[in-house]
Amino acid sequence: MAGSSFWGNIASHFRVSRTGPRESDPGTFGLPALPAGPVLEVKDLCRTYPPRRPGEAPVVANDHLSLTIHPGEVVALLGPNGAGKSTFLRQVAGQLCPTRGSIRVAGVDMVASPREAKEALSVIPQESTPYGGATVREFVRMIARLKGVTSAEAASTVTEILDRLDLRRDADAPIRNLSGGYQRRVLLAAALAGRRARLLLLDEPTTGLDPTSRRSVWGVVRELRDQGLGILLTTHYLEEAEALADRVVILRNGRVLADGSVPEVRRRFPAGGRLELRGLERLTDADRKEVLRRLQGRPVLSQGPTWMRLQLSDPFAPEALDIARSLTARGALVTLGTPSLEDVYLDLVESPEALV
Amino acid sequence: MNRWPAVPLTVEVAGLQLRTALRDLGPLLMFFFLLPLGILFFLGNLVGSLASQRQILVGSILLETALVNITSTAEQMAQDKQSRMYDLWVSTPVSPLVYLLSISLTNLPLTLVSAASLLLAAEAFFGIGLSALALAGVFASLLLVFTSTLGIGFLIGAYGRSPRATNTLANFAGAMLGFFAPVYYPVTILPLPWRYLAYGWPLTWGSVLLDDVISGTGGAPLLPVGVLAGFSLLWIVWVGRVLRWRER
Ligand SMILES: Nc1ncnc2c1ncn2[C@@H]1O[C@H](COP(=O)(O)OP(=O)(O)OP(=O)(O)O)[C@@H](O)[C@H]1O
Ligand SMILES: [Mg+2]
């Protein structure tokens, strides 16, 4: 009853397609000419999980999310625990079926043609640990092979990657003997092993790393971006998003609260600036009164006995500069500026739902 | 479009996992040698007749082959889900068959060595000698038993709700196999309704086949071979075609 296509289909499970660049392919890092167009195009992605307990409502983890990433772009997905970041990444990586919406990786539909789409991506799942019994070299080689690196190319590709991630010294040690940070690095090495990856999905890649290792991961991410990969990462470290991301997307309850470059997201904040005053104890009583008079009507964000932080609509308006100048002349220490990404993030995710 | 078969890939990955497993010899020795040899001696000395001892030999070889195939595949999957290595696999452009086969093939060489040790022990202690042809038949049958139980562990691993559930289920399946499957005794001593149930289980046919091969009785064991081949095909079709390894 089954025709030849049935057997063809079964046989195809024993094959790995090998499209794209040939012998002259410069390898994993020297990527061949990139096809034009975005590396990731997500439209109206929805994902609902069954209710946690019977009788409760289903969990809407992703609610109509759309996101486009171009080659050479780093996008950071931010949001509190349970915001739906991993759910989003897992769908893009082909690990989880979307409830609704479309995902195209390098132009290929992830739902309709998962195997072709997966050829164009690499992923580090959240809280993943590599096979402990394997050596670093063995593990990276295995992943490289699974991603279509040929047996002949594998040795040199792996060596190249290990060198680049500073793993050469530990190449032949069992992974379980490495520290947690180095194990993360091994995962990053494995993620680099795909020869045609256009999109890198990193779910909290630097959680648990020391500051030096974190910066070295940043370095790798930047290098890969410069080579034209699109990178989507999640992080709870806002300075990481600030340092790395061309764009940040802030999620809460599966919905986008903000999307744009770091300066754009900062500016989007209703009051664009902050004025911080320190050293109020150095002012005479008369001066202090005068200060308070000039600042009257401006919302106080927080204050202590000798300092206060106020909101300004535009920290670079002449009026604001004038206030700052006169306060400085009276002996206070004044800082004027835009809020940090962390300020904006906290204001956004902690604000009541209705205000967003 | 240039395609190449993933068979060498599967074998390479299995080889790597075997090398990794060999670094941890303790559990391997226990699983593949101490346990089956112990059971062979214990049960073999309990029963008197040569025919019964032969059945015990068949049971020991079979259980070792099938148990390892089922429980260790399921347990490996549970572990891979825990460490998220399963997710990593799912995100690579290979079929779940490559994953399943690479795990199973890891166990195959050890299974065959273990079977050889059981055959040697049976010859030395119970005088069950085998001709070269029968030996070849035993190993061919074992391969068939191996493929016919291929998907059971994977089924448990793929649909297990949590690593704990998976491990519990795998151990339960193993215990059921050990106690209730007619491998240490001939299926014909089961009362009728149970016998029909037993015929739905690949190991029963493995037992029939192995006993035929070892005792050298009867003609070509076409029926058990056919049934076992049918089970093997079922797993391949199911893992290759039916299973979506993306989480629903
Ligand atoms: N497999 C699952 N089954 C049911 N609900 C799930 C499942 N995975 C996630 N959820 C729920 O979906 C929501 C989003 O979870 P998700 O893991 O995507 O969040 P996250 O943003 O990655 O959080 P974190 O920062 O803690 O990693 C949560 O409410 C979570 O409880
Ligand atoms: Mg997460």
Side-chain angles (χ1 to χ4, degrees):
Chain A
M1 58 166 203
S4 65
S5 70
F6 172 85
W7 290 107
N9 251 317
I10 290 292
S12 79
H13 285 284
F14 288 96
R15 290 165 201 284
V16 177
S17 70
R18 189 179 171 220
T19 51
R22 305 288 135 115
E23 297 354 294
S24 61
D25 179 24
T28 316
F29 300 110
L31 288 162
L34 295 164
V39 289
L40 178 66
E41 244 182 315
V42 177
K43 287 215 182 87
D44 277 327
L45 192 64
C46 299
R47 171 68 207 199
T48 309
Y49 291 110
R52 291 203 186 89
R53 262 161 292 171
E56 277 183 7
V59 179
V60 181
N62 281 177
D63 191 1
H64 295 277
L65 298 182
S66 298
L67 178 67
T68 303
I69 299 181
H70 293 281
E73 195 178 19
V74 179
V75 176
L77 206 52
L78 308 174
N81 294 128
K85 305 179 294 295
S86 299
T87 300
F88 185 80
L89 252 71
R90 295 192 65 223
Q91 292 173 95
V92 172
Q95 296 160 9
L96 184 68
C97 289
T99 306
R100 195 136 68 83
S102 76
I103 300 166
R104 298 182 84 80
V105 179
V108 183
D109 190 316
M110 177 54 86
V111 177
S113 328
R115 287 175 77 182
E116 285 74 13
K118 285 172 189 173
E119 293 195 347
L121 63 82
S122 271
V123 62
I124 300 185
Q126 185 177 1
E127 287 175 349
S128 49
T129 41
Y131 291 117
T135 68
V136 174
R137 193 189 299 280
E138 286 168 347
F139 178 74
V140 177
R141 183 187 167 98
M142 180 182 108
I143 303 294
R145 294 281 285 122
L146 292 178
K147 289 188 179 161
V149 175
T150 63
S151 189
E153 301 166 315
S156 60
T157 303
V158 170
T159 305
E160 193 187 333
I161 295 173
L162 296 186
D163 273 347
R164 141 174 267 178
L165 285 188
D166 202 13
L167 283 165
R168 190 70 176 277
R169 204 167 47 88
D170 299 305
D172 299 305
I175 292 174
R176 76 162 71 90
N177 294 356
L178 301 182
S179 73
Y182 268 79
Q183 295 191 9
R184 301 250 87 204
R185 221 181 268 211
V186 172
L187 286 169
L188 194 62
L192 300 190
R195 62 206 296 288
R196 287 185 305 281
R198 302 263 175 279
L199 174 66
L200 212 52
L201 303 166
L202 311 174
D203 202 346
E204 300 191 17
T206 63
T207 297
L209 294 193
D210 67 43
T212 315
S213 308
R214 173 168 302 148
R215 270 164 186 76
S216 91
V217 169
W218 293 1
V220 175
V221 168
R222 288 195 188 105
E223 245 174 273
L224 293 168
R225 174 199 59 197
D226 292 343
Q227 285 171 5
L229 265 85
I231 298 165
L232 176 59
L233 57 88
T234 73
T235 180
H236 288 297
Y237 303 106
L238 291 145
E239 82 275 14
E240 180 162 302
E242 236 170 337
L244 278 183
D246 301 304
R247 252 169 71 210
V248 296
V249 176
I250 303 179
L251 293 186
R252 186 179 67 181
N253 295 334
R255 255 172 276 152
V256 175
L257 292 186
D259 177 355
S261 67
V262 172
E264 275 167 8
V265 168
R266 279 207 201 123
R267 242 178 281 130
R268 217 209 79 146
F269 192 67
R274 281 160 200 243
L275 174 88
E276 193 173 298
L277 280 179
R278 289 189 178 278
L280 290 180
E281 76 277 10
R282 289 195 225 147
L283 304 186
T284 62
D285 282 349
D287 280 348
R288 198 163 17 226
K289 272 208 191 94
E290 171 64 8
V291 166
L292 292 177
R293 192 191 60 76
R294 292 213 64 171
L295 295 174
Q296 210 161 31
R298 300 181 198 275
V300 176
L301 292 168
S302 49
Q303 64 179 345
T306 63
W307 61 275
M308 61 200 305
R309 204 178 287 143
L310 299 109
Q311 203 169 330
L312 294 179
S313 48
D314 179 357
F316 304 113
E319 193 208 353
L321 294 175
D322 185 45
I323 295 177
R325 218 171 289 126
S326 77
L327 294 178
T328 312
R330 291 185 161 85
L333 295 172
V334 180
T335 318
L336 260 181
T338 46
S340 71
L341 183 59
E342 184 147 334
D343 294 328
V344 174
Y345 174 88
L346 290 174
D347 285 331
L348 277 174
V349 303
E350 286 170 3
S351 65
E353 188 100 15
L355 291 184
V356 178
Chain B
M1 185 178 267
N2 182 4
R3 294 177 150 253
W4 90 89
V7 174
L9 168 65
T10 309
V11 173
E12 184 178 329
V13 175
L16 186 134
Q17 286 171 344
L18 178 62
R19 223 177 321 154
T20 306
L22 286 175
R23 293 193 188 118
D24 233 348
L25 268 181
L28 288 188
L29 285 179
M30 217 150 72
F31 218 42
F32 284 95
F33 299 99
L34 289 183
L35 188 68
L37 281 171
I39 292 176
L40 177 71
F41 279 121
F42 179 69
L43 292 182
N45 280 313
L46 267 185
V47 299
S49 75
L50 190 66
S52 307
Q53 283 169 340
R54 206 175 55 221
Q55 184 72 51
I56 299 295
L57 172 64
V58 166
S60 302
I61 294 179
L62 266 184
L63 260 198
E64 199 278 322
T65 304
L67 255 184
V68 166
N69 211 1
I70 294 169
T71 52
S72 74
T73 301
E75 277 167 11
Q76 178 72 47
M77 284 179 76
Q79 204 176 319
D80 286 354
K81 284 189 171 179
Q82 184 108 342
S83 68
R84 301 304 201 95
M85 285 299 102
Y86 186 79
D87 280 344
L88 204 63
W89 270 92
V90 175
S91 286
T92 63
V94 299
S95 151
L97 266 182
V98 173
Y99 177 68
L100 165 60
L101 286 175
S102 71
I103 294 179
S104 292
L105 284 177
T106 304
N107 296 316
L108 189 60
L110 293 163
T111 299
L112 295 180
V113 173
S114 162
S117 76
L118 285 166
L119 287 165
L120 274 176
E123 159 119 52
F125 292 94
F126 306 121
I128 304 174
L130 287 184
S131 68
L133 190 69
L135 265 182
V138 168
F139 283 103
S141 310
L142 278 185
L143 286 181
L144 203 54
V145 169
F146 175 81
T147 55
S148 71
T149 49
L150 204 57
I152 300 173
F154 196 78
L155 187 88
I156 296 171
Y159 293 110
R161 274 249 154 268
S162 67
R164 246 185 96 150
T166 302
N167 285 332
T168 309
L169 207 61
N171 287 327
F172 175 75
M176 291 289 284
L177 269 178
F179 289 117
F180 299 120
V183 292
Y184 287 114
Y185 50 90
V187 61
T188 43
I189 67 169
L190 283 177
L192 254 193
W194 292 107
R195 207 184 303 168
Y196 289 134
L197 203 66
Y199 279 130
W201 184 237
L203 275 199
T204 307
W205 295 97
S207 165
V208 171
L209 175 62
L210 263 191
D211 195 52
D212 277 0
V213 171
I214 290 180
S215 64
T217 54
L222 285 181
L223 183 64
V225 167
V227 175
L228 290 175
F231 272 112
S232 309
L233 196 66
L234 173 74
W235 302 130
I236 290 179
V237 171
W238 175 68
V239 177
R241 293 269 301 175
V242 182
L243 179 94
R244 295 269 162 276
W245 68 346
R246 222 178 322 185
E247 192 182 313
R248 287 265 138 209

